[in-house]
Amino acid sequence: MSDPASQKPIPAATLVIFRDAPDAPELLMVERAKAMTFAGGAMVFPGGRIDPEDHALADLHPAVPDAAARIAAIRETVEEAGLAIGLVPRPAPDTLADLRRKLHEGVGFARALHEAELTLDLAQLTPFARWLPAHRHMRIFDTLFFLARAPHGEATVDHTENVRLTWTTARALLDEADAGRATIIYPTRRNLERLALFSTFDAAVAHACAHPIRPVTPFVELRGEIEHLCIPDDLGYPITSEPMTGALRG
């Protein structure tokens, strides 16, 4: 049997979706079904694997960096939350529902877009981070994170990989996790701490553009007598370590 640590990371993409709220921006989070192998029961951002067809569609956008990842993030958000981000023109509710149904039935994204007379505007997504863990004996994802504004329309859970969704501020979800009422894995916690810095979507975009996007690979370091799971300190994250005893890696 092959060692999981020797397997290639799985390319993936996820979308951090902002909507305006009185005190701080709210983010869309979905709760993974407990039976899922990766991050079962955890609150995560919408997202998933980058499929071969995402790469095929990316060929139509040769000037856009990480086009396949952006396409995957858009597609997964339609599937998981029923939100139309990066779709042009903005689809009517029935058109969006039909697009989502086709994706759930296995129709290819390119075909579903063509039948709905929709195209992609990948510039609606702003690169935010890339996480590439290197731990052993666990499935590893090489995940690109993007920021986007919430479109008009109501988000609805797909009840397949995910069991519920919610809009919440980054700080509120961190508090829920600290109180034991929500589960978040290490990358989600670090990203929520970073997202909690911003009072507006534009501030988050400016911060993202001001910091390099390179793989964040957590590493273990002994600090005093306690092992910590750490990340580099120059990528815009306000907290860069956590004792290993409390770190949930997925």
Side-chain angles (χ1 to χ4, degrees):
M1 181 180 294
S2 63
D3 182 349
S6 69
Q7 297 177 9
K8 289 185 178 180
I10 301 167
T14 194
L15 197 51
V16 181
I17 304 168
F18 283 67
R19 77 173 185 184
D20 294 333
D23 298 323
E26 292 181 334
L27 311 173
L28 181 65
M29 307 295 298
V30 297
E31 182 179 341
R32 300 269 291 169
K34 292 185 183 298
M36 298 302 296
T37 302
F38 178 78
M43 301 296 294
V44 299
F45 305 103
R49 300 183 187 215
I50 302 172
D51 292 340
E53 187 175 353
D54 299 324
H55 287 285
L57 267 174
D59 291 342
L60 302 177
H61 305 269
V64 179
D66 300 312
R70 295 175 192 240
I71 292 166
I74 291 170
R75 174 180 52 75
E76 289 283 348
T77 300
V78 173
E79 293 181 17
E80 294 184 4
L83 288 179
I85 294 173
L87 301 183
V88 179
R90 181 188 299 166
D94 58 342
T95 300
L96 178 59
D98 187 58
L99 175 66
R100 187 183 194 187
R101 176 186 59 77
K102 288 177 179 178
L103 292 177
H104 283 164
E105 292 174 352
V107 175
F109 196 26
R111 174 183 162 189
L113 289 172
H114 176 73
E115 291 176 351
E117 298 183 347
L118 297 171
T119 59
L120 295 170
D121 179 9
L122 303 185
Q124 291 186 25
L125 279 62
T126 298
F128 181 66
R130 178 184 175 192
W131 279 71
L132 178 56
H135 43 67
R136 294 174 61 85
H137 308 303
M138 299 178 81
R139 186 176 298 175
I140 295 175
F141 290 89
D142 181 356
T143 306
L144 283 162
F145 289 72
F146 298 93
L147 309 179
R149 290 185 186 273
H152 294 289
E154 181 180 356
T156 56
V157 71
D158 64 359
H159 292 293
T160 54
E161 295 181 357
N162 306 308
V163 296
R164 74 180 179 99
L165 56 76
T166 186
W167 290 97
T168 179
T169 67
R171 183 71 263 162
L173 184 52
L174 288 166
D175 291 344
E176 287 289 293
D178 290 343
R181 294 188 293 267
T183 300
I184 53 176
I185 60 176
Y186 185 86
T188 306
R189 176 175 285 276
R190 298 286 86 88
N191 280 301
L192 286 170
E193 290 161 349
R194 184 178 174 190
L195 292 162
L197 299 173
F198 312 124
S199 59
T200 65
F201 173 74
D202 289 339
V205 168
H207 189 269
C209 293
H211 289 82
I213 304 248
R214 69 172 191 267
V216 180
T217 301
F219 57 93
V220 178
E221 185 172 274
L222 188 64
R223 299 189 174 182
E225 298 182 353
I226 300 175
E227 284 191 332
H228 280 66
L229 188 60
C230 311
I231 62 174
D233 60 7
D234 61 343
L235 298 178
Y237 289 88
I239 298 175
T240 57
S241 71
E242 179 180 342
M244 283 290 293
T245 53
L248 181 60
R249 305 176 77 172

